[in-house]
Amino acid sequence: MMAVRVGIVGWGPVGQNIYRCIHELGLPYDTLKVMATREREDEVDGQKVQILGLGEEFCEGRLGLFEGLDVVFFAGREGEKGAAKTWGIPAMEKYGCYCVDNGADFRMEPGVPLIVPEVNMDDATADTKFIASPNCSTIQMCVALAPLAKVAPMKRIIVTTFQSVSGYGREAQKELCDQLCQCDPHQLGGKCLSFDPKVFRRPIVLDCLPHIDAFMDNGYTKEELKMLFETRKIFGDEKVGVTATTVRVPVEIGHSEAVNVEFAGEMNAAKARELWLAAQEEYGLVVIDDLAKDTAGWPTPSAPKQDSYMGHTYADERSYPTQADVLRDEYKNAVLVGRLRDDYTNPNTVNFWCVSDNLRKGAATNVVQIALGLRRKGLLP
């Protein structure tokens, strides 16, 4: 197979991680153009990167930068002046390149496949030159659900997310760090911290904010509705119910989710665990849910000494993943799952916890995996 001619549009945290993932995941290329609003030189992991300037507005002359490219990853701004809207459609129409958009502008557009490669790579064809990558919180949940949904249809999903500030962007990461510096360890409670209401409506440090994206007329936020409509589109199932509460937490990188899923077919925790373990390599899953052993490497305390509680005896401690784990090199592209247990209030229903790096599998890793999937299908050189 030939090498791929690649473009990246946008040079924030996601764009830089796309650059890293192209190299780490082995997407072979003979051209790699990085484009952003202004021309400059930057450095990633010791490598100098030349960034070509597209400018603030569409310019026919600058469109020529896309000529000859096979695939372009869009990591930049969304909305009316979003990079994918400004450059993606014209580049695809004029030069026939695949455009893989990490933004939200086209996810629910009819005819635009919304791809999680482990789940629905078959939705990408020679006729779908424009491909959308889902919301970060949707991606990790769908990866965890997919091996189970292949065995038993899903009926209803209840999910609460605990999302890091990097999901908002660099400004939010800076705000969290600035507020941490303001904190007096001897007077943590009740102190009024300075904050920018354009980032978060309230200080984020030492607090959790049940508010991600804009509020909609039904009381949900747009982020919560994304998890409903995107999950249905990815699985091709308009009947599955999804209700979400999305929460911003004072963590810099990594999203966690508490998921309760009811199946229309037979399912329990033991069966789900077997399916996960069998699917780890294929789906990029890591099961961290062992008795009396922390496979993430943290020390394990001894079990409580009491005999029982309400008819339940105490067990050994269990391991479980957290957002800190996704910063480890071996987990940065994976979806970590644990806290698997039966929902004893409802048959064929399980609870679990999943964690992933929102800048990697929730964004950069997923789009590069889409390109690798296109190559396996013979749609890219």
Side-chain angles (χ1 to χ4, degrees):
M1 297 176 75
M2 298 169 58
V4 187
R5 295 164 296 184
V6 181
I8 301 173
V9 178
W11 195 242
V14 173
Q16 292 173 21
N17 274 298
I18 291 174
Y19 182 90
R20 292 185 176 102
C21 287
I22 287 170
H23 295 87
E24 293 172 13
L25 300 180
L27 179 64
Y29 66 88
D30 59 15
T31 299
L32 179 52
K33 288 184 181 179
V34 178
M35 295 167 272
T37 302
R38 60 185 178 85
E39 187 169 339
R40 60 197 186 273
E41 186 176 84
D42 204 353
E43 188 173 294
V44 174
D45 303 331
Q47 299 293 318
K48 289 184 178 180
V49 179
Q50 187 63 43
I51 301 163
L52 305 173
L54 287 170
E56 292 283 354
E57 306 290 342
F58 178 79
C59 171
E60 185 73 34
R62 304 306 286 169
L63 185 61
L65 289 173
F66 295 86
E67 185 175 4
L69 297 180
D70 299 307
V71 62
V72 183
F73 302 114
F74 286 87
R77 189 170 51 187
E78 298 172 7
E80 288 304 313
K81 292 188 177 181
K85 280 194 171 185
T86 304
W87 299 102
I89 301 300
M92 179 191 68
E93 290 177 345
K94 186 165 185 177
Y95 299 117
C97 54
Y98 276 93
C99 295
V100 184
D101 183 19
N102 185 66
D105 290 324
F106 296 94
R107 287 175 184 158
M108 299 311 300
E109 190 79 16
V112 174
L114 185 65
I115 301 292
V116 178
E118 299 89 343
V119 183
N120 63 331
M121 194 65 216
D122 287 344
D123 290 353
T125 70
D127 297 322
T128 57
K129 291 287 189 176
F130 201 100
I131 295 172
S133 183
N135 186 42
C136 46
S137 52
T138 306
I139 289 173
Q140 68 186 70
M141 183 178 75
C142 288
V143 170
L145 289 171
L148 315 184
K150 287 177 72 174
V151 173
M154 296 180 297
K155 185 175 179 182
R156 185 171 189 241
I157 302 163
I158 305 170
V159 56
T160 301
T161 71
F162 306 85
Q163 297 178 225
S164 64
V165 297
S166 59
Y168 182 98
R170 279 177 171 165
E171 303 96 327
Q173 291 175 266
K174 182 178 184 303
E175 183 158 298
L176 174 61
C177 292
D178 289 346
Q179 290 174 13
L180 282 168
C181 293
Q182 294 177 49
C183 288
D184 181 345
H186 303 293
Q187 296 178 327
L188 294 180
K191 184 177 179 181
C192 184
L193 301 169
S194 63
F195 68 101
D196 180 358
K198 294 190 294 294
V199 179
F200 301 124
R201 294 281 296 276
R202 299 173 63 164
I204 184 63
V205 74
L206 303 176
D207 210 351
C208 297
L209 311 181
H211 177 189
I212 299 178
D213 213 325
F215 280 105
M216 310 303 289
D217 58 7
N218 60 358
Y220 285 82
T221 65
K222 186 179 178 182
E223 184 84 359
E224 291 160 350
L225 295 184
K226 286 177 189 177
M227 297 195 75
L228 164 62
F229 295 113
E230 291 183 12
T231 300
R232 285 179 170 178
K233 185 172 182 178
I234 291 163
F235 283 102
D237 185 352
E238 290 297 315
K239 293 183 179 179
V240 63
V242 182
T243 182
T245 302
T246 57
V247 183
R248 191 73 73 188
V249 297
V251 172
E252 188 172 8
I253 294 173
H255 291 354
S256 292
E257 299 172 350
V259 183
N260 175 282
V261 55
E262 179 184 0
F263 294 86
E266 184 180 340
M267 183 61 64
N268 56 45
K271 185 174 183 178
R273 182 181 176 85
E274 289 180 4
L275 293 167
W276 274 349
L277 290 171
Q280 284 188 108
E281 185 173 347
E282 180 183 356
Y283 284 83
L285 283 168
V286 178
V287 181
I288 301 177
D289 193 38
D290 291 318
L291 285 169
K293 176 186 177 186
D294 197 325
T295 52
W298 300 102
T300 303
S302 58
K305 301 299 183 184
Q306 297 96 328
D307 292 328
S308 65
Y309 174 73
M310 300 299 293
H312 295 276
T313 58
Y314 283 89
D316 289 330
E317 289 289 318
R318 300 190 77 99
S319 61
Y320 48 82
T322 72
Q323 279 137 293
D325 294 320
V326 301
L327 302 181
R328 297 166 59 156
D329 194 60
E330 65 266 36
Y331 295 149
K332 62 189 177 186
N333 296 316
V335 174
L336 315 181
V337 289
R339 291 301 320 277
L340 178 62
R341 59 211 186 275
D342 289 311
D343 178 349
Y344 59 81
T345 69
N346 204 36
N348 299 315
T349 305
V350 297
N351 294 292
F352 66 87
W353 174 258
C354 72
V355 188
S356 193
D357 185 332
N358 54 293
L359 299 179
R360 301 286 296 219
K361 182 53 187 169
T365 301
N366 199 69
V367 299
V368 174
Q369 287 174 329
I370 290 171
L372 291 167
L374 291 173
R375 288 192 89 229
R376 285 192 295 271
K377 290 165 69 74
L379 300 174
L380 283 178

